[in-house]
Amino acid sequence: MDIAQTLIRHGLVTRQQIDTALPQVAGRRLDRALIELGLVNEDEVLKAFADELGMPFIEVKQELIDHDLLMQFPTTAVFRHSLLPITRRNGSVVVATCDPFNLEALEELESVSGFHLVPVLARRLDVVELIKEHLGVGGDTLNELVAQRTADGVELLSDLSADDADLASQAENASVIKLVNELLMEALEQQSSDVHIEPQEHGLIIRYRVDGLLRVQPVPESIAHFYAAIVTRLKIMSKLNIAEKRIPQDGRIKLKISGREIDVRVSIIPMVHGEGVVLRLLDKGRMVFNLKNVGMDAGMAKTFRDLISMPHGIVLVTGPTGSGKTSTLYSALNEIKDPTVKIVTVEDPVEYQNPGISQIQVHAKVGLTFAAALRSILRHDPDIILIGEIRDGETADAAIQSSLTGHLVFSTLHTNDAPSAFARLIDMGVEPYLVASTVEGVLAQRLIRVLCKHCKEAYVHDPDEFPTDFPRPLPEKLWKPVGCRECRSTGYAGRRAIFELLRTDHEIGRLCIQRASSAAIRDYALKQGMMTLRMNGYARVLDGTTTLDEVLRITKGDFA
């Protein structure tokens, strides 16, 4: 079949477009090159092929996959050729493929399985995703490893106690390297922020954190046999001690995957059934530190810009781990960065390198703590200082002193809301009058999931189910998640921040000096018009950005 003529006959491209694209084909098949160039849509191409060849085009994600049938096929062939057996029909097996011209692959699968195959066409990403869902990530690689273990015809039912040299040798096995790479690439493909590798009494669980929620990743059961080799491989990659299994270790891996620079922070902690591993993935290519993209309302953005433009004082950003505090602070620094201003940061670790800013990595083992670094920084003639986190009284005192000597100090703090920051600093041992005179403002933030724009659906909410603190009058309709191919059937795609900004005034300073409770400071701030996290979340519900359930999950009631 002439692919060019078929595409032209179905009105998908013109002869001129094909002639223009031919120099860029570079050995690829014409239809695939045209899809990559964005000249045609994969669905349209597959439907044209289906029409020409008399093969059905199906929505494979809507099909019920016969898992027992799938397990009768060799995993390696299924993965290698992206062929997905779906169901039995009239004595044959229906197999989804994205390439109707790869007859050799179909013949190979027919030969090794003994089944007569009837091919149907489906999108490539859908086929690949379903194969991983049913057979697990790296299923074909694990098959190779299992084959190596049983190559002599004897399979060990329990793992031998390997010494460090044996473990290092296993970890450097090409198949183990490939397996670890596949786990990382799948995590990036799903836009995960973290990978959790957790040993259990019977097996191994791998979970990816996507849009703030953990999601169990299907993996073959046989992966548990290679857990020690996987952990050792990660230790080697992050330059950790492979012989040490009794104490926690932290490391870092720098990778380049498909041209994208990825920073991986590795945390390994010994647990009951083995060493637990958490990988934090930082995709530098996706990060754009711009205050306009942070997502603040216009009024709040103006107030925050006023705060970060002050000549001295402390500006705090609070929230739990993974709530986007560092991104907000980097965006603030980029906003005020200038060749006439010296900016120095102290971080643990330095997550993103920022040109034009002097960045210091904390190294506690040699005595370079936040507090020690701050004392040295003041002799480095800075104008603006960023402290990665105020963790203790010593760091808090150093930040206060930096502010009192005419510097603008940015930092993060772990509190649930903005008013609690004052009490937290006082609890660390800072004198209340110093907190009142130096802290200029506190920004609390959380990340909420954003509804997928491709499938979100309007609906009428029962008025009795609205929380009592929801702004009145109640809206006629809200939006809910549905789930589609674009969002991997979750109904959500990405996250954005909601904020609570508290600017210090004379009354808040007076309350702070009197050691007033966080509740008293909060009550006063609310009377002055402060928008809480909950209120800001409700605003995002009303404009269709997120759902009511998501705001209720992330925030606490204002009057609770």
Side-chain angles (χ1 to χ4, degrees):
M1 187 176 79
D2 188 323
I3 292 175
Q5 288 299 329
T6 300
L7 297 179
I8 292 170
R9 191 159 50 248
H10 282 79
L12 302 182
V13 287
T14 63
R15 170 54 65 181
Q16 184 179 357
Q17 285 177 311
I18 287 177
D19 292 340
T20 305
L22 279 175
Q24 303 177 59
V25 169
R28 291 168 293 170
R29 210 170 65 206
L30 180 63
D31 56 309
R32 290 177 178 168
L34 292 174
I35 291 170
E36 287 176 22
L37 291 169
L39 295 175
V40 290
N41 179 282
E42 184 186 13
D43 284 20
E44 295 172 337
V45 171
L46 289 175
K47 286 173 183 175
F49 290 164
D51 184 51
E52 289 286 326
L53 299 168
M55 294 169 64
F57 172 78
I58 65 167
E59 291 288 346
V60 71
K61 282 201 164 185
Q62 296 176 11
E63 300 288 328
L64 187 63
I65 310 296
D66 186 337
H67 186 75
D68 292 335
L69 173 66
L70 177 56
M71 297 309 293
Q72 296 179 47
F73 283 80
T75 309
T76 303
V78 169
F79 269 97
R80 188 192 305 132
H81 302 303
S82 296
L83 294 172
L84 176 64
I86 300 173
T87 187
R88 296 176 192 268
R89 185 182 298 161
N90 301 327
S92 300
V93 174
V94 178
V95 176
T97 178
C98 56
D99 186 356
F101 305 113
N102 193 355
L103 300 179
E104 287 181 7
L106 288 166
E107 289 170 1
E108 179 190 331
L109 194 62
E110 251 186 3
S111 173
V112 295
S113 67
F115 291 104
H116 177 257
L117 305 182
V118 177
V120 295
L121 292 178
R123 299 179 196 92
R124 188 187 68 82
L125 285 178
D126 288 356
V127 172
V128 171
E129 193 175 315
L130 283 170
I131 289 172
K132 288 177 182 176
E133 185 179 312
H134 285 274
L135 298 178
V137 176
D140 56 335
T141 306
L142 279 166
N143 273 357
E144 294 173 20
L145 284 167
V146 171
Q148 291 168 20
R149 280 168 60 95
T150 59
D152 58 0
V154 179
E155 182 179 1
L156 292 172
L157 297 180
S158 61
D159 288 325
L160 292 171
S161 56
D163 61 20
D164 300 329
D166 289 341
L167 272 178
S169 175
Q170 289 175 31
E172 292 301 285
N173 182 305
S175 295
V176 172
I177 292 172
K178 184 181 176 187
L179 178 60
V180 171
N181 290 346
E182 285 175 357
L183 289 172
L184 290 171
M185 289 174 72
E186 180 64 18
L188 284 171
E189 195 174 307
Q190 294 191 27
Q191 298 186 352
S192 310
S193 59
D194 302 85
V195 178
H196 293 242
I197 304 174
E198 304 163 338
Q200 307 292 310
E201 184 178 2
H202 303 291
L204 173 68
I205 293 178
I206 294 180
R207 297 192 286 174
Y208 293 164
R209 190 178 292 280
V210 182
D211 292 340
L213 294 180
L214 284 170
R215 185 187 296 172
V216 176
Q217 180 62 35
V219 289
E221 290 181 9
S222 56
I223 196 172
H225 295 299
F226 307 99
Y227 176 66
I230 292 169
V231 174
T232 304
R233 171 62 186 162
L234 289 168
K235 284 182 178 180
I236 290 169
M237 291 172 74
S238 48
K239 298 180 175 62
L240 298 178
N241 183 358
I242 66 170
E244 185 55 76
K245 303 177 182 66
R246 300 164 300 171
I247 60 173
Q249 295 190 73
D250 294 315
R252 195 169 185 172
I253 305 169
K254 290 187 177 182
L255 302 172
K256 182 170 269 191
I257 300 175
S258 303
R260 292 154 58 190
E261 279 194 34
I262 310 297
D263 227 6
V264 183
R265 284 161 55 184
V266 182
S267 175
I268 300 177
I269 298 178
M271 296 184 178
V272 175
H273 301 294
E275 292 177 286
V277 182
V278 175
L279 310 174
R280 167 65 61 89
L281 306 180
L282 303 170
D283 189 345
K284 295 182 178 181
R286 290 179 55 209
M287 298 305 298
V288 179
F289 299 113
N290 188 326
L291 212 51
K292 292 177 183 176
N293 299 336
V294 166
M296 288 186 193
D297 297 331
M300 190 181 292
K302 182 182 184 305
T303 304
F304 189 64
R305 281 192 172 87
D306 291 342
L307 283 173
I308 64 176
S309 301
M310 286 187 164
H312 55 78
I314 297 176
V315 177
L316 296 172
V317 179
T318 77
T321 303
S323 58
K325 302 186 296 295
T326 303
S327 297
T328 299
L329 284 175
Y330 275 27
S331 299
L333 289 181
N334 274 343
E335 184 82 7
I336 58 179
K337 185 169 67 175
D338 187 88
T340 62
V341 175
K342 172 86 169 187
I343 301 175
V344 182
T345 75
V346 191
E347 302 168 69
D348 183 22
V350 174
E351 293 185 359
Y352 300 98
Q353 294 178 21
N354 204 325
I357 296 175
S358 303
Q359 295 173 279
I360 300 170
Q361 168 83 47
V362 166
H363 201 327
K365 287 181 181 177
V366 297
L368 185 60
T369 61
F370 278 116
L374 274 171
R375 286 192 291 271
S376 300
I377 281 175
L378 294 179
R379 295 191 290 273
H380 221 67
D381 188 29
D383 297 296
I384 297 166
I385 300 169
L386 184 147
I387 307 168
E389 182 186 341
I390 296 178
R391 296 176 179 172
D392 50 41
E394 190 183 7
T395 309
D397 282 332
I400 295 286
Q401 293 305 317
S402 301
S403 167
L404 290 173
T405 51
H407 302 90
L408 180 61
V409 179
F410 295 123
S411 189
T412 69
L413 203 60
H414 285 292
T415 63
N416 289 324
D417 56 18
S420 302
F422 298 94
R424 180 83 183 95
L425 288 172
I426 293 169
D427 287 344
M428 286 181 178
V430 181
E431 290 294 334
Y433 73 91
L434 289 175
V435 176
S437 61
T438 55
V439 177
E440 299 292 347
V442 184
L443 180 75
Q445 70 178 71
R446 297 288 188 283
L447 293 178
I448 55 169
R449 292 185 295 168
V450 174
L451 280 165
C452 173
K453 62 183 179 182
H454 299 282
C455 65
K456 68 177 185 179
E457 209 171 75
Y459 75 107
V460 178
H461 203 289
D462 184 347
D464 295 334
E465 294 179 9
F466 278 94
T468 54
D469 60 350
F470 197 92
R472 267 55 178 174
L474 298 176
E476 292 182 7
K477 67 176 183 180
L478 295 179
W479 297 87
K480 65 179 180 182
V482 177
C484 66
R485 203 162 58 88
E486 298 291 333
C487 62
R488 292 178 176 263
S489 302
T490 62
Y492 296 92
R495 291 187 292 173
R496 63 162 292 171
I498 55 173
F499 301 98
E500 173 179 295
L501 180 59
L502 173 60
R503 187 165 187 176
T504 309
D505 61 14
H506 291 300
E507 181 60 22
I508 288 177
R510 188 181 66 79
L511 289 169
C512 187
I513 292 170
Q514 293 176 352
R515 293 179 182 264
S517 67
S518 298
I521 295 175
R522 183 183 185 79
D523 289 343
Y524 170 76
L526 286 171
K527 289 175 185 174
Q528 298 304 306
M530 180 184 79
M531 177 179 278
T532 65
L533 286 166
R534 185 87 149 194
M535 294 175 192
N536 199 214
Y538 286 153
R540 302 289 75 81
V541 171
L542 292 171
D543 65 19
T545 300
T546 191
T547 62
L548 183 58
D549 289 342
E550 185 68 6
V551 174
L552 298 180
R553 180 179 73 86
I554 291 294
T555 64
K556 180 182 173 185
D558 289 331
F559 309 109

